[in-house]
Amino acid sequence: MNNQKQQKPTLSGQRFKTRKRDEKERFDPTQFQDCIIQSLTETGTDLEAVAKFLDASGAKLDYRRYAETLFDILVAGGMLAPGGTLADDMMRTHVCVFAAQEDLETMQAFAQVFNKLIRRYKYLEKGFEDEVKKLLLFLKGFSESERNKLAMLTGVLLANGTLNASILNSLYNENLVKEGVSAAFAVKLFKSWINEKDINAVAASLRKVSMDNRLMELFPANKQSVEHFTKYFTEAGLKELSEYVRNQQTIGARKELQKELQEQMSRGDPFKDIILYVKEEMKRNNIPEPVVIGIVWSSVMSTVEWNKKEELVAEQAIKHLKQYSPLLAAFTTQGQSELTLLLKIQEYCYDNIHFMKAFQKIVVLFYKAEVLSEEPILKWYKDAHVAKGKSVFLEQMKKFVEWLKNAEEESESEAEEGD
């Protein structure tokens, strides 16, 4: 009996022929370009026919691999060299964005071509976004007319959601900004974007990618002011964009003011220093007094850890607000400011349930401290209050308002007797 183990067969020394489909295809964008351009020439300038050709060709041509080449052709007519130029010896087509008419209607039609292509071949979405970012960096290499067409097209594509507003980052390139290319391009882009949507939709898209506070960066550092931005874009026919940026700056300034105010209060800075700082900020950022009193009120109320017991919080509030009444009085020099403060107190007492019974006490305190006067209080009581806690607060104020009215009538009769 043979006890020796049977030797296992081995694969060493054997050769396998590589299957054709496993061989790595050579990267040849020129051949891909020639194929696309030849077909586009046969299709002609009918953009519906172009869209159908692109849809059908995706099954035969490797769009995934040659996405950049494909988009170069559709935008510029051929493959772009670094800097945005077309090589002289390359094939090119006139069925492209840059060779089309320079008007919004034509660019809207081209946008449909890109929309259909990307909807059909979803994997092209990222490649197209990268392509547009690249094209924006190449703007100096294009003619003014080509830049205008690209701007209009980009605006339409941003409006219909084919592109994300993050592509605008490319416009903050130092050289493009310095030479005024970014700002001029942005004018055409925003005009077509707002034409398709409206300023609110545009603002929402910008906010989503944290671009809403960066628009002034379209200008060099020495021109990054609200005044310059407003003048430039208003003269270009984009008043709504100018107003939006002005509002954004104001909102930013208000947030900064509140943050600084709270820090000054927590440090215990003297009221005269705080008042001086606030007044300078009001002037510098053109913030009206009624807005400022709302900021001061919020800041004052946020510096305290309030008691959770309703019977104790009113006493705590009166003590705290008595201390800060000179600061509040400095910014209630107008009737509208007083009314704004009354509404802020009403909203605060309603939103913070422990303060519901403290409303009247706070108003009386401010009346005695000359933060509030008769007329705004009576106006608030009559018709200027808001719905929040209305019945509760009007009931609380009833006796005090009657007293104010009687005091006012007595002073009027005394004045008449004096005459």
Side-chain angles (χ1 to χ4, degrees):
M1 187 176 174
N2 189 1
N3 291 326
Q4 193 176 353
K5 286 186 179 177
Q6 193 175 350
Q7 198 168 351
K8 291 180 180 178
T10 66
L11 295 176
S12 61
Q14 295 190 34
R15 293 175 65 86
F16 289 88
K17 189 176 180 183
T18 307
R19 289 177 295 181
K20 191 83 174 171
R21 69 169 180 268
D22 292 336
E23 290 177 5
K24 191 161 178 67
E25 226 182 299
R26 190 166 64 90
F27 184 67
D28 190 358
T30 305
Q31 187 182 349
F32 177 86
Q33 174 186 249
D34 293 350
C35 184
I36 291 284
I37 288 177
Q38 188 179 339
S39 298
L40 284 175
T41 305
E42 292 167 7
T43 306
T45 55
D46 178 359
L47 293 184
E48 279 193 30
V50 170
K52 284 177 184 174
F53 152 70
L54 292 169
D55 186 291
S57 297
K60 297 172 282 181
L61 299 172
D62 195 347
Y63 283 173
R64 191 186 295 273
R65 201 167 186 213
Y66 298 109
E68 184 179 2
T69 306
L70 175 63
F71 292 130
D72 274 0
I73 295 164
L74 293 175
V75 173
M79 276 194 294
L80 290 168
T85 55
L86 283 168
D88 292 332
D89 57 342
M90 286 283 186
M91 274 183 75
R92 62 185 66 191
T93 176
H94 292 293
V95 186
C96 64
V97 171
F98 283 177
Q101 281 184 281
E102 189 186 322
D103 60 66
L104 186 57
E105 194 177 343
T106 305
M107 292 306 108
Q108 286 168 332
F110 263 100
Q112 282 303 310
V113 173
F114 288 106
N115 286 343
K116 288 173 183 174
L117 178 61
I118 291 162
R119 273 204 304 268
R120 177 72 176 83
Y121 299 101
K122 194 74 176 166
Y123 58 80
L124 287 173
E125 204 168 50
K126 179 70 170 64
F128 185 55
E129 196 171 289
D130 291 341
E131 172 73 12
V132 175
K133 287 177 185 175
K134 179 191 81 175
L135 291 170
L136 297 189
L137 291 172
F138 286 174
L139 286 178
K140 280 171 65 181
F142 306 145
S143 69
E144 186 182 350
S145 177
E146 288 169 346
R147 289 200 291 262
N148 289 344
K149 291 168 195 172
L150 182 60
M152 286 188 277
L153 174 70
T154 306
V156 175
L157 292 168
L158 282 164
N160 64 33
T162 304
L163 286 174
N164 184 291
S166 61
I167 56 105
L168 298 178
N169 269 310
S170 295
L171 289 180
Y172 300 132
N173 175 273
E174 190 180 348
N175 292 324
L176 295 176
V177 169
K178 190 179 176 183
E179 296 189 26
V181 174
S182 293
F185 185 87
V187 166
K188 292 282 183 183
L189 181 149
F190 279 109
K191 273 189 176 178
S192 68
W193 192 355
I194 293 169
N195 179 73
E196 297 288 309
K197 291 284 186 179
D198 60 34
I199 191 63
N200 295 324
V202 171
S205 296
L206 292 171
R207 269 196 305 276
K208 206 175 281 182
V209 293
S210 303
M211 203 75 75
D212 49 325
N213 291 316
R214 293 193 62 195
L215 292 179
M216 279 201 286
E217 293 175 40
L218 292 165
F219 297 101
N222 62 340
K223 291 181 179 178
Q224 285 179 20
S225 68
V226 178
E227 288 69 31
H228 181 78
F229 188 99
T230 302
K231 187 173 185 292
Y232 185 92
F233 280 93
T234 301
E235 287 175 358
L238 282 164
K239 190 180 177 185
E240 57 266 75
L241 186 67
S242 300
E243 288 173 352
Y244 167 71
V245 167
R246 187 178 285 282
N247 289 338
Q248 285 299 105
Q249 285 300 111
T250 305
I251 291 164
R254 291 173 190 178
K255 284 180 180 174
E256 196 57 41
L257 173 60
Q258 182 154 354
K259 183 183 171 189
E260 180 59 29
L261 251 180
Q262 287 170 353
E263 287 178 8
Q264 288 177 353
M265 288 176 192
S266 63
R267 288 197 305 262
D269 290 5
F271 286 161
K272 60 175 184 158
D273 293 348
I274 296 176
I275 291 166
L276 183 64
Y277 163 75
V278 173
K279 287 189 173 176
E280 283 174 355
E281 289 299 299
M282 282 172 70
K283 191 176 179 182
R284 189 163 71 89
N285 294 298
N286 197 27
I287 309 174
E289 190 185 79
V291 171
V292 169
I293 192 61
I295 294 170
V296 174
W297 165 260
S298 298
S299 301
V300 167
M301 297 307 281
S302 67
T303 58
V304 177
E305 189 69 44
W306 296 107
N307 201 301
K308 298 288 183 227
K309 293 182 179 178
E310 193 174 45
E311 62 274 15
L312 298 176
V313 81
E315 188 183 333
Q316 185 189 8
I318 296 305
K319 190 178 176 183
H320 177 68
L321 291 171
K322 191 173 185 178
Q323 179 192 345
Y324 278 94
S325 57
L327 179 62
L328 290 153
F331 302 101
T332 52
T333 64
Q334 304 167 13
Q336 188 57 48
S337 305
E338 293 183 53
L339 200 52
T340 299
L341 178 57
L342 275 162
L343 292 171
K344 291 288 180 187
I345 299 166
Q346 181 185 351
E347 287 172 358
Y348 188 91
C349 290
Y350 178 80
D351 292 337
N352 298 273
I353 196 161
H354 301 303
F355 278 81
M356 285 294 281
K357 291 181 180 176
F359 178 78
Q360 185 260 5
K361 290 174 182 173
I362 294 170
V363 175
V364 171
L365 166 71
F366 284 164
Y367 174 74
K368 288 177 179 175
E370 297 185 349
V371 176
L372 297 171
S373 53
E374 293 92 336
E375 197 177 325
I377 294 172
L378 293 172
K379 182 169 176 54
W380 171 87
Y381 187 83
K382 185 183 176 186
D383 56 21
H385 49 260
V386 290
K388 289 182 173 182
K390 170 181 148 182
S391 57
V392 175
F393 299 139
L394 290 178
E395 183 60 35
Q396 280 183 34
M397 290 292 291
K398 194 174 180 182
K399 286 182 181 176
F400 181 64
V401 166
E402 282 172 7
W403 179 84
L404 280 180
K405 284 178 180 176
N406 292 334
E408 198 174 32
E409 284 166 9
E410 283 173 21
S411 62
E412 281 174 7
S413 61
E414 283 172 11
E416 283 170 10
E417 284 171 16
D419 292 342

